Amino acid sequence: MARRYFASPWVEAQRARLQRLVDCAASSASSEPPRALDVGCGRGRHSLMLLEMGFQVTAVDLDGEALDTLRQRERGAVEKGTLKIRSMDLEAEDVGALGHFDVLLVVNYASRSLLPKLLQLLKPKGLLIFESWAQGNEHFATPKDAEAQRRLLRANELLEATSDCFTVLAYSHGLQEDYEGRDCVKQMICAEKRPCPGRASPVSEASRWCLGRLLEVTDASFLQDSAFGRDWVWHRPQSLGVAFGIEDLLQLLDGYDPEAAQKEYLAALTSASPRGARPALWDVSMVRRRESTTETLKPQEVRDFLRAAQLKTSADVLQRGEGWTLVVSQLQGAPALCDLHQRLFAATGLSSGINAYLTPPDAIGKPPHVDDHDVLVLQLAGSKTWTLLDDARQTIREQVPLTKGDVMYLPQGIPHHAAAMASHEASLHLAVALHRRPMSYSSVLGALVTLRLMDPGDGDLLPAALVEEMEGRSQSFAAFGAREHWINQLLPMHLALVRALSPEDLDVGLRREFCAVLRQRSRDLAELLRSPDMEDADLGMPVGARRQRALLRASVRGSERDLEEAAQLPEEDFEALACAAFWVRREYVMDPRGWCGPVHRRGRARGRRRASGRS
């Protein structure tokens, strides 16, 4: 049957979400259909769509002639009560009298004074679908008067209006080419209402509490939380415990010299430098997004820009920063951040680095990207909206607004980018990288198989060939599961293993539990390696990523025999091999120069067979 309406592309894109509301209502005990409010309905093209989907629709507009057209066209629906038509001046009359709705639909109408009142009409779990003209549209269509010009939406205005009580499901702002027959600039949002106050988070209050504890005390509870390694979590703790701001960061950049900074960093990695030495600062980069392109400056250009701009305060960034985002790496050596770095290591046992991102208002720094580590985001000044994408980078998964004092945990593998909100100040956040994968099951089992095949020797340094084999095998094992899979999670006794100086520091019960878990996971991984087709696990990924994962998996086909043979070793031999595998991983992660030491050689001959390379 031909449609009787032509919905806007944005509204049409939300059809599946609208249909779920109808289906939910039909399957519930209530016989009432969901209610939808069409604001500024005109002749009712979207009211007709909602009616056909099964909503009870209230259509509101001030244009009496347009409403008469709709009334005549849908007389049957009006008589049945499924369509209610109201002529009213929304900005002058009491909109609260309209009642509450499951859907609020607003197309090509914007009133800053009215919007908060309209949002109050939505029920919890209600759906907001909003699109209207944004600043910049005047270049394509001249506003009919000054009031129309003032109604154009500012950058991120709908995100800010919905930040407290909505979960953003989809958002768009910018030039729309040939949108319903014309080029225009629009801002569009689809969001689900949730109880206020609060902020979007896909996990329980317990997870948010654990995340807050991670920053406040040396507490391991977040590692055992169901969200860790799987879901993003937002929280606003009582205190971030970080006395660091925009002026502090800019002060570190005073006199920045990239050549001297890099020499300092490289010196810290040489065997001649004290073990554990950290450079205070080694890299500053500058990035700027212009439409669909990303601009960057070379190190010497960064130095010259900073010397000329003399940035000291947030106001300087706005006035002379020219829209650049400053990315400052390896800040864990800064005096104000050493304590944070040490507290997080004590709480997680994970190696980490701290980067700072200083972004001017209404600007995007880095383009969408994927990190190979977990990230702990601490918003220290201003505000940013984090856009989390699906694995194929095609649709928005979540949009999470962060304001000063907020913290967010983001597990590895989620494509994302951050945009500073329109404001009177620059936005500063710290990104703490938590390197979980080097201590995950995939890495420990990769080390276990490698140590069984290769001798680490008698020196204090791991042979380069062994390190290369261990790293390659671990990366390949990780490709057999997504980020939520057990293969990419930490062992349950991870923190106790990290804190122990040697296996003898673990009580007998814990050591036996560790070996039992690793023995079983060796068998589980062997079964995974036998899986005839793992392509289903890669669905939704970009083609290049799927191809890379397939190559990684192919490189370790046959290792199931090594895993099963290791799992069948006598208890004493397996314990020696398992402990050696974990300690090699731990020591290599803590010191990439390859420190080995005698602890890892105690059982190296037990149950080992020789092999020339990876199976």
Side-chain angles (χ1 to χ4, degrees):
M1 183 177 68
R3 290 185 180 178
R4 300 177 297 137
Y5 58 86
F6 294 95
S8 79
W10 182 253
V11 175
E12 188 66 42
Q14 315 311 321
R15 173 179 284 272
R17 294 186 171 105
L18 290 166
Q19 190 61 54
R20 281 196 289 270
L21 288 176
V22 176
D23 295 343
C24 261
S27 62
S28 69
S30 173
S31 59
E32 290 292 323
R35 301 185 67 216
L37 176 63
D38 186 2
V39 175
C41 65
R43 290 183 171 84
R45 58 171 178 158
H46 294 115
S47 294
L48 293 175
M49 171 184 173
L50 294 166
L51 274 173
E52 288 193 356
M53 293 186 72
F55 285 93
Q56 184 182 90
V57 181
T58 298
V60 178
D61 204 297
L62 189 57
D63 187 340
E65 183 179 344
L67 292 179
D68 286 341
T69 301
L70 176 59
R71 190 177 288 107
Q72 291 297 321
R73 187 176 183 180
E74 293 298 318
R75 186 173 299 173
V78 172
E79 292 174 353
K80 287 194 302 182
T82 54
L83 174 62
K84 299 178 181 179
I85 299 176
R86 293 283 302 271
S87 175
M88 64 184 300
D89 184 347
L90 291 167
E91 296 177 40
E93 301 181 47
D94 179 17
V95 296
L98 294 171
H100 290 84
F101 298 87
D102 301 283
V103 173
L104 173 60
L105 179 65
V106 185
V107 176
N108 297 340
Y109 173 81
S111 168
R112 292 184 176 87
S113 61
L114 179 63
L115 182 56
K117 300 175 185 178
L118 290 175
L119 297 181
Q120 292 178 10
L121 302 183
L122 267 177
K123 301 176 183 177
K125 297 289 186 181
L127 197 64
L128 168 68
I129 302 174
F130 195 117
E131 69 169 273
S132 193
W133 318 112
Q135 289 177 354
N137 192 61
E138 65 273 16
H139 300 303
F140 300 94
T142 303
K144 63 181 180 180
D145 53 32
E147 178 59 25
Q149 176 70 35
R150 284 193 294 270
R151 287 176 183 262
L152 295 177
L153 294 170
R154 300 185 297 267
N156 296 324
E157 186 166 354
L158 293 179
L159 286 176
E160 293 174 2
T162 58
S163 62
D164 287 334
C165 298
F166 285 82
T167 299
V168 176
L169 305 175
Y171 177 78
S172 177
H173 177 99
L175 174 63
Q176 307 291 327
E177 295 183 352
D178 195 24
Y179 191 89
E180 298 195 277
R182 54 171 288 189
D183 293 345
C184 58
V185 177
K186 280 203 161 187
Q187 189 170 139
M188 304 178 279
I189 195 169
C190 178
E192 182 183 78
K193 191 171 186 180
R194 62 180 185 276
C196 297
R199 189 69 58 83
S201 185
V203 294
S204 67
E205 286 298 320
S207 295
R208 296 170 68 173
W209 181 86
C210 288
L211 177 58
R213 292 273 292 175
L214 182 62
L215 291 170
E216 293 162 4
V217 296
T218 54
D219 185 274
S221 59
F222 191 58
L223 298 188
Q224 280 78 49
D225 192 87
S226 60
F228 182 73
R230 297 173 177 85
D231 278 320
W232 65 273
V233 186
W234 169 91
H235 185 53
R236 175 171 290 166
Q238 293 182 355
S239 171
L240 290 179
V242 180
F244 191 78
I246 293 177
E247 287 73 18
D248 300 301
L249 178 68
L250 295 175
Q251 185 176 2
L252 288 177
L253 305 185
D254 188 28
Y256 171 69
D257 183 343
E259 293 183 2
Q262 190 157 12
K263 285 180 180 178
E264 182 183 358
Y265 173 73
L266 293 175
L269 295 181
T270 65
S271 57
S273 64
R275 190 168 182 225
R278 297 190 184 104
L281 178 68
W282 81 276
D283 184 50
V284 182
S285 59
M286 296 177 67
V287 61
R288 180 169 63 186
R289 290 278 290 173
R290 290 288 179 86
E291 296 181 353
S292 60
T293 62
T294 302
E295 302 174 335
T296 58
L297 294 182
K298 297 178 181 178
Q300 291 75 18
E301 293 173 329
V302 172
R303 176 197 61 198
D304 295 342
F305 179 91
L306 292 174
R307 288 178 179 176
Q310 290 294 300
L311 305 178
K312 305 294 184 184
T313 66
S314 177
D316 294 341
V317 174
L318 271 59
Q319 294 169 10
R320 302 191 294 277
E322 298 183 11
W324 291 100
T325 290
L326 285 168
V327 182
V328 187
S329 304
Q330 300 297 330
L331 273 175
Q332 60 269 22
L337 299 177
C338 282
D339 181 62
L340 170 68
H341 186 242
Q342 292 168 1
R343 282 190 288 123
L344 287 174
F345 176 74
T348 66
L350 299 176
S351 65
S352 62
I354 301 178
N355 295 350
Y357 295 80
L358 178 59
T359 307
D362 198 22
I364 296 176
K366 298 176 69 174
H369 61 283
V370 179
D371 292 320
D372 62 357
H373 50 261
D374 297 359
V375 178
L376 200 62
V377 181
L378 285 70
Q379 188 69 32
L380 301 184
S383 56
K384 276 190 175 81
T385 297
W386 284 70
T387 300
L388 314 183
L389 306 173
D390 69 2
D391 289 339
R393 304 189 187 184
Q394 295 176 348
T395 59
I396 294 176
R397 173 182 175 176
E398 299 283 353
Q399 285 199 302
V400 188
L402 298 185
T403 57
K404 183 177 180 180
D406 289 352
V407 59
M408 180 175 70
Y409 166 76
L410 188 66
Q412 66 186 41
I414 298 180
H416 62 275
H417 71 270
M421 295 184 187
S423 175
H424 62 280
E425 65 174 331
S427 171
L428 173 64
H429 79 265
L430 297 180
V432 183
L434 298 177
H435 296 278
R436 172 168 50 91
R437 178 171 289 175
M439 303 302 295
S440 65
Y441 279 107
S442 64
S443 293
V444 176
L445 290 171
L448 183 144
V449 172
T450 303
L451 286 177
R452 188 160 186 268
L453 299 176
M454 301 179 69
D455 193 331
D458 295 323
D460 284 340
L461 298 180
L462 293 173
L466 185 145
V467 171
E468 181 180 356
E469 183 76 11
M470 178 177 66
E471 292 292 275
R473 194 182 300 275
S474 299
Q475 187 178 9
S476 297
F477 284 168
F480 281 83
R483 69 173 176 277
E484 301 91 350
H485 197 278
W486 66 262
I487 192 68
N488 291 312
Q489 303 302 316
L490 299 177
L491 279 70
M493 63 291 298
H494 159 82
L495 200 56
L497 292 169
V498 170
R499 289 172 174 170
L501 295 178
S502 74
E504 286 73 20
D505 290 333
L506 301 172
D507 64 63
V508 174
L510 186 58
R511 194 160 64 241
R512 288 177 178 172
E513 181 187 0
F514 160 62
C515 292
V517 167
L518 207 59
R519 191 190 294 268
Q520 182 58 50
R521 287 309 191 190
S522 297
R523 298 188 178 105
D524 294 341
L525 181 56
E527 288 301 314
L528 269 181
L529 266 59
R530 285 197 181 90
S531 301
D533 190 359
M534 294 290 296
E535 292 183 1
D536 289 347
D538 299 341
L539 291 178
M541 289 187 176
V543 174
R546 293 202 302 269
R547 185 181 298 115
Q548 176 67 18
R549 285 169 64 85
L551 290 172
L552 288 171
R553 290 194 291 263
S555 71
V556 289
R557 295 289 186 185
S559 292
E560 57 268 26
R561 180 184 59 178
D562 300 313
L563 289 160
E564 288 179 333
E565 289 180 0
Q568 293 169 4
L569 288 172
E571 183 174 341
E572 183 180 1
D573 292 346
F574 185 84
E575 179 179 311
L577 182 61
C579 289
F582 187 88
W583 262 263
V584 163
R585 285 304 315 172
R586 187 188 74 172
E587 293 304 305
Y588 178 71
V589 166
M590 300 312 164
D591 189 346
R593 292 172 295 178
W595 174 264
C596 181
V599 167
H600 317 305
R601 296 191 291 271
R602 291 180 180 173
R604 69 178 186 271
R606 291 175 179 169
R608 179 175 292 119
R609 65 182 179 83
R610 297 284 181 174
S612 58
R614 199 181 314 171
S615 300

